[in-house]
Amino acid sequence: MGTLTMICLALLGAIATWGVFSRHVDDTLGQRVGLSVVAIGCFVRLAQRIAYDLPQPPIETLVILFGVTVYAVSTAVKIVCARRGISDRRGRGAAHGC
C-alpha cells in the first residue's frame, strides 16, 4: 500500500505540474491555481512520507488518491491524443488509445 501511495502521489504531482505549465491545457486561472495546490500537496506529502516514514493514510484516502490519479492520467492521455490529431468518435467511455 505504501508503494501504491507513493506512485500515485508522484504521478498526480507530475501531471498536475505539467497541466499548470502546459500551453496545451485550456484551463482558467482558478483551475491552474487548483492544479498548483494539488501538485504542491502531492510533493509535500511524498517528501514527508520518504523523510519521516509517516504511517499509511486510511484506505479511504488511498482509494480517493488512486481515483484522482486515474482521472489525471486519463485526462493527460486525452490531451496528448487530441494534440496529435487522433480522435475517436465511438462515443463517451469507449476504450481507445493513441
Side-chain angles (χ1 to χ4, degrees):
M1 294 271 224
T3 304
L4 181 60
T5 300
M6 292 173 61
I7 290 170
C8 287
L9 286 169
L11 269 174
L12 187 56
I15 292 171
T17 301
W18 172 76
V20 168
F21 292 109
S22 175
R23 60 184 166 90
H24 305 294
V25 178
D26 187 26
D27 286 345
T28 65
L29 177 62
Q31 289 170 317
R32 288 188 189 258
V33 169
L35 277 177
S36 299
V37 172
V38 168
I40 291 167
C42 285
F43 291 132
V44 167
R45 179 63 181 168
L46 187 61
Q48 288 174 338
R49 178 88 174 106
I50 292 169
Y52 303 116
D53 195 30
L54 296 177
Q56 278 298 106
I59 190 71
E60 298 85 5
T61 303
L62 180 57
V63 170
I64 292 168
L65 177 61
F66 182 75
V68 173
T69 302
V70 170
Y71 182 82
V73 169
S74 299
T75 301
V77 168
K78 181 173 114 177
I79 290 169
V80 169
C81 287
R83 176 136 163 75
R84 290 183 182 173
I86 300 168
S87 75
D88 186 353
R89 303 282 185 213
R90 289 183 283 179
R92 186 178 181 107
H96 64 282
C98 281

